[in-house]
Structure formats: structure tokens, C-alpha cells
Amino acid sequence: MKQASFLCYCLGIVCLLSGTWVQAEDPYRYFTWEVTYGTVSPLNKPQRGILINKQFPGPPIDAVTNDNILVNVINKLDVPFLITWNGIKQRRTSWQDGVLGTQCPIPPNSNWTYKFQVKDQIGTYNYFPSIGMQRVAGGYGAFNVDQRSVISKPYPEPFEEFTLLVSDWYNTDFKILEKNLDKGTPLPLPDGLLINGLPSGRAVFTGLKDKLYKFRISNVGIAVAINFRIQGHTMTLIEVEGAHTLQEVYESLDVHVGQSVTVLVRLRAPLTKDYFIVASSRFTKPILTTTAILKYAGSTTRATKPLPVGPTYHLHWSMKQARTMRLNLTANAARPNPQGSFHYGTIKVMRTIFLTNTAAKINGKLRYAINSISYVDPPTPLKLADWYNVHGVFKLNSVPDKPTNTTPVLAPGVLAFQLHDFVEIILQNSEYTVQSYHMDGSSFYIAGYGNGPWTPAMRRRYNVADTLPRHTVQVYPVSWTAILVSLDNKGMWNLRSAMWSRRYLGQQLYMRVWNDEKSLYTEADPPPNVLFCGLAKKA
């Protein structure tokens, strides 16, 4: 009898543990995406677009922290294709990052399945094609990551949420734009702006009076920063690229190329009518403007002009606003511990990298360079060459830590770092246009912005207490931006201009974050379906 009771007890423990193990498995979300050409006319001119499941923009991904994402991409185009997941950190899995430095492209009329986890992330993100100028034609979409139900939110629960993808648009086929850039012709100003792939006034968001709504706003364009505002309403900033912010109230917000913000808007205008949602270009002549409609339920009165006035070229205004966006130190994000528990300002900087962008002529054609290296993709992805010990593809630290006076050259530029290095990077803009930089694999802390050349004395002006961690940051004309980053994600990561023609013409590099310990805790092995190309051959 005692033996039977003991056996039942053991079986009960096993069942309990089994149930616990099953529950510990994070959910899986499966997607099948067919990528095709299709005719789109967002500015009333029919042209070739890139569709996903016949949709433009592509279908959204709505996930929860730690979800496992599997996306089977079927490439029906006549060119190789990759998707990159803008802002998704790809913890341990740079194999899935979707850029030519980490993986071979998906050939035409074939498929490949991405598999990754949105580990310890919340926030508003997006995805888009990464090869050539394909993203000009579409293929982009929203990627939203909500908090787990056990993690509290530091703001009131909204009644509903809306996603707005603001993009610039060219009435020129992406292949023609590529040919023009290859000839050395600079990218012209876009022909217009879109909201969710629609022309001005076509996108409509309907809400109930007095209710609170969350707006997820991303600039998925390739060329121009935008200012975003809502007629007759203010916006409370709550999240920027995965970090909860101090809840400041704004009448308008600058969103630079590649950036995302999340705001709360309460519908308490005195009149039940329609109101304009406005996005206009920044720092351009002429100013491009597009609108959507915020419709109060039951309204029969159309939105009326004038549109709310936004800033145009006001650079100092933009820099001042950027400094007001600060981290909520007591709030949590994806994990229960407060965001302020990581005291980035007290960590010793192990290395300072000083990166300067320039426009240059190489072989008689326009190129863009960082520290005199204008990046070119080798036939063999850097990550495959590194993992499989393929020699002759790239050289470590081929990008110098500081700018040089040497003539710019074409090369696959790589900076080498040790895992867990804490690094200061100075982004110095030597040109008279606003720049925007994106880093894959990590978020970085924006220590400061300033005019003119950076000097060590500028460190006294750094925010070392509550600045925001972001994946994309602007650098104002003839100015600098300083960032601090803990490189705790092993892999090969793209640091690039988010202004896509500049990236296409060389304003990018890769950061190799490495240590000599082979462990699945720090980096996953190549996936079973890894593609091979160039000098990397399947064993």
C-alpha cells in the first residue's frame, strides 16, 4: 500500500513537472508570405509594387514578448529577396537578421523560413525588404510586440490601438532608381508621402468620444524625416522603440527615417466631427504633406482646414524636442525589473569609435563612406565566412576607429568587438543634410546631441541618467550624436544609414561581436535550413 502511494506520489510529481515544462514553452506564431509583384497606384500613377500575400503594405505581425516567430517567405519575384526585422534584436540569432552580411538571399521561385524569438522586447517595430532599393516598391509592414499579461503597463489601458506606417513614395520603378544610383545620380526628393500605403485623406481611424487610443507610428520611408500631429488633439508619448518614456505631452513629434514612437490620444475634442492626422516632411524644399482622418464615431462632419501647423526646417527645435524624450526609470518594459536598474552612465567605456560620413567620388561615381570606407557586399555573407572560416572575404577592423584623410575606397567594412564590450560611438555628420543611423542587434543609449565638431569636452554634456535606448538615431547637419552601447549580443550586426540610397551606395558597416567560447547560451548554431552562396559551401 505504501509502495502504491509512493508510486502515485512520484507520478503526480512527474505530471506536475511535465505540465510546468509544457507551460514554459513560449508560444509560436506561424506565417506564410508569398512575395509577388502587383500594380499599385498610391499617387494615382500605376506602377510595379512589391506585395506580400497580395497586400500593400504587407500583413502585420502582432506578437507578445518572447513569442517565437516563424515566417515562410515564398519569393515569386524575378530577383533575390530578403526581409529584415527593423528593431527586433535577434538575440543569439544574427542568422535571421535578413541582410546580405548575415545570410544568402532567397533566390527567385524558392522559399526560406525565418525562425526567431522576440526575446525580452516590447514595442513598435516594422519589417521591410533589405536588398537593393526594393523597399521603395513596398514589401514593408508593421511588427508590434505587446507586453505579457503578467507585466504591468505604466499607462492607462487604451480602448483600442491604431498602427500608422508613414512612408515616402517615388513614382519611379525601384530598378530604375537602382540604375540611376549605380550611374552616380543622387536620389531625388520623393514624389509624396503615404500613410499605410494610401494617398492623402484615404486612411481613416474611427474612435469613440472620450475614449483613450494608442497610436503606433513608424517612419518606414527611405529619405525624409516627418513631423506627425493630430488636428485638435495632443499626444502623450509612452514608448519609443521598446523603452517606456516619461509621459510628456506634445502637439507634434518629429520621427526620423527608421524611427518609431507610440503615443496615447484621448478623443475629447469639443465637436463630434472628423479631424486631420498630418504627416509632413522635415528639412525639405518643397515640404511634402499627407493626411489621414481621425473620425469620431457617428460624425457626419468632414475634417476642415487649415491643417495644424508643423515645423519645417527648424533644426534647433528638433534637437530640443529630442532631448525632452527621456526614460521612465521606475517603469518596467518587457521584464518586471525597472528600466532604470541598468545604470549605463556608471559603466566604464572600453573603446571609443569616431565615425564620420562623407560623400565621395569613387571611380567617377557618387558613393557614400564611413571613415573613408564605402561598403560593398561580397558574394559570401560576412557571417557565413566568419563561422565557416572562409578566408579572403573581409578583414577585421578594416574600418578605422577614427576618420582618416585617405581617399575613400570600396570594401566590406567590419569593426571587431569582444562580447560585452561597452562602447562609445561618436557619429559626426560632416554634411549639410540630416542623417539617420540604425544598429541591428542592440539598442544604444543616446548620450547627447550637439552642433559642430565633437570634442572630449562634450562628454560633460552627456545625459548619463535617463536618456532613451533606441535602435535608430538622427544626426543633425554639421553636428554630432554620441551613443553608448553594451554589445551583449554575439553575432555580425549591421550599422547603417537608415536613408536607404546612402546605405545602397556604401554608408554602412558591420560590427562583429565575438568571443572564443562556443555556447548556445551566447549564440545559436546556423539553422538547419541555412542557405549557402559565394565561397561558403554546404559541408
Side-chain angles (χ1 to χ4, degrees):
M1 190 72 178
K2 289 182 178 180
Q3 288 180 336
S5 299
F6 180 72
L7 180 61
C8 289
Y9 173 78
C10 291
L11 288 172
I13 292 296
V14 169
C15 290
L16 178 62
L17 289 175
S18 298
T20 302
W21 290 334
V22 170
Q23 292 172 5
E25 179 77 8
D26 292 305
Y28 282 76
R29 297 181 187 269
Y30 298 88
F31 304 87
T32 298
W33 289 356
E34 185 174 78
V35 182
T36 60
Y37 292 128
T39 300
V40 296
S41 307
L43 294 181
N44 298 318
K45 178 184 177 182
Q47 64 190 99
R48 175 169 58 179
I50 293 178
L51 313 182
I52 298 179
N53 292 353
K54 300 182 180 180
Q55 298 177 49
F56 168 70
I61 292 180
D62 292 305
V64 176
T65 301
N66 295 341
D67 279 357
N68 294 284
I69 308 297
L70 285 87
V71 185
N72 178 24
V73 176
I74 304 168
N75 179 15
K76 293 290 188 178
L77 306 181
D78 59 352
V79 290
F81 186 78
L82 283 174
I83 289 178
T84 192
W85 317 94
N86 197 48
I88 302 302
K89 294 180 182 177
Q90 300 292 351
R91 301 290 303 181
R92 306 184 308 112
T93 55
S94 64
W95 308 102
Q96 311 287 337
D97 202 32
V99 288
L100 287 173
T102 61
Q103 65 182 109
C104 300
I106 306 168
N109 297 312
S110 65
N111 72 297
W112 196 78
T113 299
Y114 291 90
K115 180 182 179 182
F116 57 90
Q117 186 178 28
V118 286
K119 181 68 174 173
D120 292 338
Q121 286 192 259
I122 58 106
T124 299
Y125 307 102
N126 51 80
Y127 63 84
F128 52 79
S130 67
I131 296 178
M133 296 295 289
Q134 292 173 4
R135 61 180 293 192
V136 174
Y140 59 79
F143 196 136
N144 301 324
V145 186
D146 204 0
Q147 288 170 265
R148 292 172 291 164
S149 59
V150 296
I151 304 295
S152 61
K153 296 178 180 178
Y155 53 84
E157 187 68 30
F159 183 73
E160 191 178 351
E161 66 177 52
F162 303 125
T163 297
L164 291 84
L165 302 175
V166 184
S167 64
D168 40 37
W169 186 259
Y170 290 82
N171 285 330
T172 305
D173 188 85
F174 77 95
K175 290 187 178 182
I176 295 176
L177 289 176
E178 288 179 351
K179 290 179 181 178
N180 291 340
L181 289 169
D182 291 340
K183 293 175 183 176
T185 304
L187 189 73
L189 192 70
D191 293 297
L193 300 179
L194 311 176
I195 295 178
N196 290 354
L198 297 171
S200 193
R202 290 283 301 279
V204 179
F205 304 90
T206 302
L208 298 172
K209 188 174 176 62
D210 295 322
K211 295 294 185 181
L212 187 67
Y213 291 85
K214 178 192 286 188
F215 284 73
R216 298 180 180 269
I217 306 149
S218 292
N219 183 343
V220 296
I222 68 155
V224 298
I226 60 110
N227 180 267
F228 182 88
R229 51 206 184 271
I230 302 176
Q231 187 181 40
H233 296 75
T234 57
M235 303 174 288
T236 301
L237 186 68
I238 58 170
E239 178 258 324
V240 169
E241 294 166 18
H244 286 133
T245 65
L246 293 181
Q247 294 175 19
E248 302 287 352
V249 177
Y250 297 88
E251 291 184 352
S252 72
L253 280 168
D254 278 357
V255 188
H256 293 264
V257 179
Q259 293 183 340
S260 298
V261 299
T262 305
V263 299
L264 293 179
V265 178
R266 189 173 292 279
L267 273 57
R268 53 186 172 198
L271 299 177
T272 300
K273 60 185 289 289
D274 297 352
Y275 295 86
F276 284 113
I277 297 171
V278 183
S280 58
S281 63
R282 296 284 271 122
F283 325 118
T284 66
K285 293 181 181 180
I287 298 168
L288 306 175
T289 302
T290 191
T291 64
I293 301 298
L294 174 59
K295 185 179 185 64
Y296 277 52
S299 165
T300 57
T301 305
R302 301 179 67 177
T304 55
K305 292 184 176 181
L307 299 178
V309 177
T312 54
Y313 201 81
H314 307 85
L315 288 164
H316 187 60
W317 183 96
S318 182
M319 189 183 293
K320 285 178 63 177
Q321 183 184 79
R323 290 176 178 146
T324 67
M325 299 180 185
R326 295 156 58 203
L327 188 65
N328 186 334
L329 298 177
T330 60
N332 49 39
R335 304 182 69 165
N337 50 304
Q339 294 178 135
S341 60
F342 184 75
H343 301 285
Y344 69 92
T346 65
I347 302 173
K348 182 180 179 180
V349 171
M350 305 177 72
R351 184 177 170 189
T352 295
I353 308 292
F354 195 107
L355 303 177
T356 298
N357 57 278
T358 53
K361 286 288 184 71
I362 301 179
N363 300 326
K365 297 178 181 179
L366 174 66
R367 295 285 301 187
Y368 298 104
I370 299 176
N371 288 5
S372 298
I373 302 297
S374 184
Y375 186 89
V376 289
D377 283 302
T380 307
L382 307 180
K383 182 61 186 172
L384 267 65
D386 196 30
W387 185 272
Y388 292 104
N389 296 314
V390 179
H391 299 289
V393 175
F394 68 92
K395 293 180 180 179
L396 293 176
N397 290 320
S398 51
V399 178
D401 282 13
K402 296 180 180 180
T404 65
N405 292 323
T406 58
T407 302
V409 296
L410 303 174
V414 178
L415 284 167
F417 299 92
Q418 289 291 310
L419 184 64
H420 304 306
D421 276 357
F422 190 74
V423 180
E424 175 189 43
I425 301 177
I426 312 301
L427 301 168
Q428 181 75 56
N429 183 5
S430 65
E431 300 179 63
Y432 291 93
T433 56
V434 177
Q435 305 290 319
S436 186
Y437 280 93
H438 172 86
M439 182 184 291
D440 283 345
S442 297
S443 291
F444 46 75
Y445 288 87
I446 305 171
Y449 307 91
N451 297 315
W454 181 91
T455 67
M458 303 301 180
R459 292 189 177 113
R460 294 196 296 267
R461 296 161 53 180
Y462 284 6
N463 179 347
V464 293
D466 63 353
T467 192
L468 285 178
R470 301 193 74 156
H471 58 66
T472 303
V473 67
Q474 69 274 20
V475 191
Y476 294 97
V478 196
S479 299
W480 57 268
T481 297
I483 63 176
L484 300 170
V485 57
S486 180
L487 297 173
D488 58 358
N489 193 9
K490 191 173 177 179
M492 189 74 71
W493 304 108
N494 194 202
L495 175 61
R496 61 178 179 257
S497 173
M499 306 173 87
W500 215 247
S501 65
R502 300 184 71 97
R503 179 188 187 267
Y504 180 82
L505 291 179
Q507 193 172 321
Q508 61 169 314
L509 55 82
Y510 279 82
M511 305 168 63
R512 180 196 189 235
V513 181
W514 182 85
N515 68 358
D516 58 4
E517 177 189 10
K518 184 173 173 58
S519 170
L520 295 178
Y521 288 103
T522 56
E523 183 173 31
D525 287 338
N529 63 341
V530 63
L531 296 173
F532 291 90
C533 56
L535 299 175
K537 305 296 182 182
K538 188 172 183 179

